[in-house]
Amino acid sequence: MTRAPQWRGLSRRSVLAGALAGGAALALSACGTRQDAVRLATDDRWKQFAGTTINLVSENTAPTEAIAANLRPFTELTGIKVNILMLELTALAQKVALDLAGGESQYHVIYADPYQVLAPYSKGLVDLRELASRPDLPQLPGGWGDFIPTQLDATGRFGDHDKVFAVPYDCPTMIWQYRADLFEKHHDRMADDLGFDPTPSAERTWEEYFRIAKWFNEKTDDVQYGAGHQAKQHDSLMCDFSNVLWSYGGDYFDNGKEIGLYGTTDPGACRLNSDAAIEAAEFYQRLISISDPSSKTWDWNGLAPALQSGRIAMSPNWHEYAAANEQAMPGKFGYAPMPRGPVRSANHFGGTGIGINANTLPNERAAAWLFVLWATSPETQLSNLKSEAGGGTPTRQSVYDMPEVKAAEHRPSAMPNILTAPAVSQAWEADKIGLRPKIPMWNECDTAIYTQLSKMLAGDASPADTMRETAKRIDRITARGWAA
């Protein structure tokens, strides 16, 4: 994962309908002598590679599910056939690594997860600015400026601030999800008891969140617990804790914002041993102690049903669970940016872009670019929003500005994920977005973080010792460096 909203846990289908045949085609294509796609003599820039077949490898994400269910518009537009192979993220990263290292282009279009693909293998991806500037190819709709700026940097760049290796494709973001009906029902009593307006927003503090959770625990039987969290010994624990860490002014390395946006191969010393990080860990330990005890067994997919079934009153989770929330209890949920700590509100961003294999031959590379253009276009993103097979949420500002999308921010909504738009639009602001370090060795660091945090939550280590030991382990990992 890096991070994973509901679609990552629903059915870990390795292959979608039609992709079994696609997988066979992939295997066969790798066996023979490589030949470039044929370029046709035509004035239609979309049709110049008609008859070509390209292969996309992706994690099973909401936009890929929606696109795979409705490829006909692209095929009719271009005459290009697309095989889509969907895998669990670790398996995807392994296949991509082998393909790039072997000098092959079995997969032309790649779901370039920022941490498992982009950071370690950016040299194996095409700088997409070159394709975007070619006059013989269709122009990028809306230009680069139509993408949410922080998303373009976080999902598309590595090292070089100018090069773009991936186009923003999905954008799951952690926000505060809560039972709006219960907050409304108990608003006045909570406000009197707590001494502040309990309405969730970026102005609420984590300490206030803690007190709200405790109030629900003690003052009402509407839910079993006030709050739930994804605190299993798993990547989800790192994701959940990071919101608190950043809000307290802590970070994994110096220049955390810069490393999160642009990445580096040498992040320097880990800063989890700072006073701010230790204070964040102390608060997080307290928070989990009064949250639903099952929190320590939940990742994002365990947490979501707890909220949707009425077991808990609120939780931080990926915003793309909104559609399932609204299906479970129509009209009863609210969405807000994460609470703030002493420094800021921090909302963990988990988006990914799609890129193109640099081993592609010239014509197949251009054909792959046509697919990238179409798959990330405003029209396709709008179609994905409406899709019953997938959904996701757009990465382009122009889609959020469409009148029908703006209207869908209010109930009744045919695009329930867009109910979160007011919250996530704040969450993506430069001072509120939460970005883990984009470094090639992040996976090992991630494992060290959630392993040590899990020991802390089990009572086997103090917050201070946990942060110091985690910093030591991360320093050992980064000291080894990275050779792609």
Side-chain angles (χ1 to χ4, degrees), residues 207-250:
E207 285 290 347
E208 289 170 343
Y209 176 100
F210 177 94
R211 292 178 62 195
I212 292 168
K214 200 169 182 183
W215 189 93
F216 273 104
N217 288 351
E218 298 171 353
K219 302 292 187 177
T220 177
D221 294 328
D222 287 325
V223 289
Q224 290 178 256
Y225 297 95
H229 287 260
Q230 45 184 278
K232 179 180 180 179
Q233 186 174 333
H234 180 271
D235 176 66
S236 59
L237 175 52
M238 177 279 299
C239 293
D240 197 58
F241 169 70
S242 293
N243 296 308
V244 176
L245 173 70
W246 295 319
S247 75
Y248 272 71

Side-chain angles (χ1 to χ4, degrees), residues 81-150:
K81 178 184 177 184
V82 182
N83 296 315
I84 299 179
L85 181 63
M86 297 180 70
L87 300 169
E88 184 273 330
L89 184 58
T90 301
L92 176 147
Q94 291 170 347
K95 283 189 175 291
V96 169
L98 290 171
D99 202 29
L100 296 178
E104 299 296 326
S105 57
Q106 187 173 358
Y107 309 107
H108 307 101
V109 181
I110 295 169
Y111 182 83
D113 177 83
Y115 314 98
Q116 294 203 38
V117 176
L118 177 58
Y121 307 119
S122 63
K123 293 178 181 177
L125 300 173
V126 173
D127 179 2
L128 300 177
R129 297 175 310 155
E130 299 170 5
L131 292 162
S133 66
R134 281 178 50 173
D136 60 324
L137 297 173
Q139 297 299 297
L140 179 67
W144 296 112
D146 191 28
F147 294 101
I148 310 296
T150 49

Side-chain angles (χ1 to χ4, degrees), residues 11-26 56-60 64-65 68 83-88 95 107:
S11 66
R12 291 276 187 172
R13 293 172 291 178
S14 327
V15 185
L16 275 182
L20 283 173
L26 300 184
L56 162 68
V57 62
S58 174
E59 187 180 7
N60 63 326
T64 303
E65 288 190 355
N83 296 315
I84 299 179
L85 181 63
M86 297 180 70
L87 300 169
E88 184 273 330
K95 283 189 175 291
Y107 309 107

Side-chain angles (χ1 to χ4, degrees), residues 251-259 267-271:
D251 214 326
Y252 294 102
F253 301 98
D254 288 336
N255 303 314
K257 180 180 177 181
E258 180 82 1
I259 293 173
C270 180
R271 297 306 183 198

